[in-house]
Amino acid sequence: MNSTVNEQMEVVYHKPQTLTDTPMHYCPGCGHGVVHRVLMEVIDEMGIAERTVGVAPVGCSVFAYHYMNVDMQEAAHGRASAVATGVRRVLPDKFVFSYQGDGDLAAIGTGETIHTINRGENILMVFVNNGIYGMTGGQMAPTSLCGMVTSTSPYGRDAAQVGHPLKITEMIAQLPGAYFVARHSVHTPSAVRKLKKAFKASFEAQKEKKGTCFIEVVSNCPSGWKMTPNESNAWMEQHMFPHFPPGDIKVPASMK
Amino acid sequence: MISGTIVVASEICKGCELCIASCPQQSLGLSSSINHKGYRFAQLVQDNCTGCTNCALVCPDSAITVYREKKTAKRAPQMVIASHAA
Ligand SMILES: Cc1ncc(C[n+]2csc(CCOP(=O)(O)OP(=O)(O)O)c2C)c(N)n1
Ligand code: SF4
Ligand code: SF4
Ligand code: SF4
Ligand SMILES: [Mg+2]
């Protein structure tokens, strides 16, 4: 195997500096790790690590502050965008992001989510939607698909009983405070590159105080979905994407 | 063909196989031995890596560093002679 690195070779990709060396606790193949890395890569490339404050959620990504080497604040379940509001208002020159799962952002935190965006807070909201409560053992989330089997919907989600999978991203895009809204994924190299551009555009918009940037990442939960990581990505494409299609949802003229 | 290589942090890797599926060269496979976490880890199984970075981009544990032959590497000796002559 030509696996030796010699002096004719140069590094073309390495882990971002702002991601710590702490081994991540996520299950093998979990999308959270990729989203963390892409976010830190953008912060590295923009040189804003010293001026960035992140807010971590309750959910599997509760320990995001162990992995992201920027100032971080933990929030109560669902309240990350409210805490991020406070941080950004007190420290208006900082770059501020919140990071939340679907159970956190679209269930217990729905109120905070809507009102933060309605106020047009100058923050980036990162929303990792894996259609399930990963952390607590794979319970049904507001975003679980119709017919999706979870530990609390053993016969599959029944919309007649519990409603339809919530498209909160399309909903909040209607609010005037929402400046840039897009849905991405991290399951292929090209998807990862697109997400990176969206994060970068969001931090750029924060400089101009344009309003809330909201980036959903449709992601996987191999453990909660009871699949291998590669199976989970295939399932995501086949089942999640028709309901949560990746793409831009609201793009200001200045970004086009 | 551009030649490249990767280095996998074998103690960080969780053997998720996402890199294996994303490699256009089928250069990657899992080790037969296990790391201290108990996972088989990703490694090169063919001598055809191009350094495209696909594997590193999808790795959730940022376990992969990618190297590529420098663009000028093949012409390097000539350039050295030229600079001596100058
Ligand atoms: C007030 C409160 N209610 C309930 C919980 C239990 N709880 C912890 S994480 C979680 C949901 C996590 O799901 P999600 O936000 O989708 O994150 P994931 O783990 O899927 O990334 C719940 C209900 C809690 N910690 N606090
Ligand atoms: S339970 Fe699901 S979301 Fe949580 S770390 Fe494991 S795969 Fe990721
Ligand atoms: S850099 Fe590209 S060719 Fe090399 S192992 Fe990774 S995916 Fe395969
Ligand atoms: S993607 Fe990363 S963690 Fe998964 S097998 Fe490859 S190197 Fe290991
Ligand atoms: Mg979730």
Side-chain angles (χ1 to χ4, degrees):
Chain A
M1 241 53 62
N2 180 26
S3 54
T4 44
V5 178
N6 58 44
E7 61 281 9
Q8 251 84 63
M9 298 210 151
E10 58 190 341
V11 175
V12 288
Y13 190 88
H14 61 82
K15 169 176 156 335
Q17 261 187 343
T18 308
L19 200 67
T20 66
D21 289 331
T22 308
M24 291 186 181
H25 70 287
Y26 300 116
C27 306
C30 174
H32 274 303
V34 186
V35 183
H36 286 18
R37 194 191 69 233
V38 176
L39 197 52
M40 293 304 109
E41 242 173 66
V42 168
I43 287 171
D44 264 9
E45 284 175 21
M46 293 180 73
I48 57 171
E50 298 294 327
R51 287 183 290 151
T52 302
V53 183
V55 182
V58 172
C60 278
S61 47
V62 64
F63 294 136
Y65 48 77
H66 285 322
Y67 312 130
M68 302 179 178
N69 200 4
V70 294
D71 285 337
M72 296 285 293
Q73 174 63 51
E74 176 58 43
H77 201 11
R79 276 59 177 170
S81 70
V83 174
T85 296
V87 174
R88 174 76 195 206
R89 286 189 175 204
V90 172
L91 303 168
D93 297 326
K94 299 279 182 187
F95 292 89
V96 179
F97 69 87
S98 55
Y99 185 107
Q100 298 175 266
D102 46 326
D104 193 74
L105 180 143
I108 193 168
T110 312
E112 283 76 6
T113 300
I114 290 172
H115 289 290
T116 299
I117 302 163
N118 196 42
R119 294 188 304 266
E121 300 294 342
N122 292 304
I123 60 168
L124 162 62
M125 295 178 69
V126 180
F127 168 39
V128 179
N129 175 11
N130 54 14
I132 206 159
Y133 292 1
M135 184 198 207
T136 42
Q139 291 84 1
M140 183 176 65
T143 43
S144 299
L145 300 178
C146 289
M148 190 169 161
V149 173
T150 69
S151 59
T152 49
S153 58
Y155 306 111
R157 181 187 185 129
D158 176 7
Q161 200 184 20
V162 297
H164 290 269
L166 190 65
K167 294 194 181 203
I168 194 156
T169 306
E170 277 84 353
M171 282 173 61
I172 60 89
Q174 306 304 312
L175 302 171
Y179 181 65
F180 172 43
V181 181
R183 183 182 284 122
H184 286 273
S185 67
V186 289
H187 69 307
T188 63
S190 72
V192 169
R193 289 191 186 97
K194 285 183 197 155
L195 175 66
K196 191 169 164 181
K197 280 192 190 140
F199 281 161
K200 199 167 228 165
S202 302
F203 282 123
E204 293 291 348
Q206 241 181 77
K207 285 188 200 160
E208 318 283 317
K209 301 188 167 50
K210 295 283 194 185
T212 311
C213 294
F214 187 98
I215 309 292
E216 173 177 344
V217 183
V218 181
S219 192
N220 62 348
C221 176
S223 297
W225 297 359
K226 306 194 192 310
M227 294 175 198
T228 68
N230 277 313
E231 282 167 3
S232 74
N233 278 343
W235 191 89
M236 180 178 81
E237 274 192 325
Q238 204 185 340
H239 300 278
M240 297 278 281
F241 283 7
H243 193 76
F244 299 114
D248 286 331
I249 294 170
K250 185 178 193 178
V251 186
S254 63
M255 274 191 198
K256 279 178 189 153
Chain B
M1 185 67 88
I2 306 157
S3 103
T5 193
I6 61 157
V7 172
V8 178
S10 54
E11 287 304 322
I12 295 292
C13 174
K14 294 175 186 156
C16 72
E17 303 187 43
L18 293 180
C19 56
I20 298 175
S22 80
C23 176
Q25 298 286 105
Q26 281 87 46
S27 308
L28 295 167
L30 286 186
S31 64
S32 45
S33 57
I34 56 169
N35 65 17
H36 281 91
K37 291 184 204 157
Y39 296 117
R40 294 170 68 193
F41 48 89
Q43 60 181 22
L44 286 170
V45 293
Q46 283 200 74
D47 190 7
N48 61 351
C49 168
T50 61
C52 72
T53 75
N54 273 12
C55 53
L57 290 181
V58 300
C59 175
D61 290 277
S62 302
I64 301 178
T65 306
V66 185
Y67 298 81
R68 208 181 291 156
E69 197 171 68
K70 288 178 196 159
K71 283 208 180 84
T72 52
K74 281 186 185 126
R75 277 181 285 135
Q78 286 173 346
M79 288 165 71
V80 171
I81 292 163
S83 73
H84 276 293

